Amino acid sequence: MDWYQIVLETIDMRSFSNLWFWIALAVVWSTASHWVLGVPFDMVARARRSGGQAGRDLEDMVRITVTRILYIAEEAGLWIVGFGSALLSGLAVAGFVYGMELAQALFLLAFPMSLVAWMNVVTAARIRNEALAGEDLCARLSRHRFWTQVIGMVSIFVTALWGMYQNMSYTALGG
């Protein structure tokens, strides 16, 4: 057995049977639910619990990230939506029409994350427009985190079902 064959057997290039894909999926969603609008959620919990300086720190951090998110959305939003839509469309066609498993896996990672990115822009705009602070800000960030987690759970469930289907189909075909 040569070195090349050992590497290819160790690193299976089929996405849904590859442990690294599932680790990446878990890391993506745990990171997305921990960093709410670019702010670590433990800051929200600390601000709710302690108030005072922790609350001011949270408000400053949210103000910075909200300003940054909305600046990017206003300056490059159309380009980002255009390129993102083209990328997602390309992945969907390559994956589900032409059967490329890697494209399917990337689509199942990227599409739900694009929903979270859209939610980030909407939530940032609400925070700025309503001038949220204190408990109202914490409640908005908690609600945002909840919906991010819902999207993540649905995404992981759908990806797991599709991955099992792909693995069973591959096995049934004698792969």
Side-chain angles (χ1 to χ4, degrees):
M1 197 179 277
D2 66 345
W3 184 82
Y4 185 72
Q5 188 175 2
I6 292 170
V7 169
L8 285 180
E9 285 179 6
T10 305
I11 304 172
D12 186 6
M13 296 309 286
R14 291 185 53 249
S15 301
F16 297 111
S17 63
N18 191 330
L19 177 63
W20 293 109
F21 170 74
W22 297 104
I23 291 171
L25 183 71
V27 167
V28 163
W29 285 110
S30 66
T31 302
S33 68
H34 178 69
W35 291 87
V36 180
L37 289 181
V39 176
F41 195 74
D42 61 292
M43 284 186 77
V44 177
R46 195 172 334 119
R48 269 193 166 154
R49 190 175 52 248
S50 305
Q53 185 61 43
R56 288 189 295 277
D57 290 346
L58 174 68
E59 289 173 8
D60 290 341
M61 190 85 155
V62 169
R63 178 184 49 78
I64 292 167
T65 58
V66 162
T67 303
R68 183 174 170 269
I69 289 169
L70 293 178
Y71 174 78
I72 291 169
E74 290 164 0
E75 292 296 317
L78 289 175
W79 287 101
I80 292 170
V81 169
F83 283 122
S85 298
L87 177 68
L88 288 174
S89 298
L91 287 173
V93 169
F96 299 106
V97 174
Y98 293 109
M100 291 178 56
E101 193 171 308
L102 179 61
Q104 293 170 3
L106 291 174
F107 178 83
L108 290 170
L109 273 170
F111 178 71
M113 287 306 295
S114 69
L115 297 177
V116 171
W118 171 75
M119 273 184 15
N120 284 345
V121 173
V122 170
T123 301
R126 282 187 176 166
I127 288 171
R128 182 178 68 181
N129 294 341
E130 297 172 13
L132 296 179
E135 182 55 37
D136 292 335
L137 177 62
C138 291
R140 172 60 65 190
L141 293 173
S142 295
R143 205 168 19 254
H144 181 83
R145 181 180 193 224
F146 171 78
W147 287 109
T148 299
Q149 289 174 329
V150 167
I151 291 171
M153 286 188 296
V154 171
S155 171
I156 291 169
F157 180 73
V158 168
T159 303
L161 286 180
W162 186 256
M164 284 187 284
Y165 170 74
Q166 289 296 329
N167 287 334
M168 289 189 319
S169 297
Y170 183 76
T171 304
L173 294 174

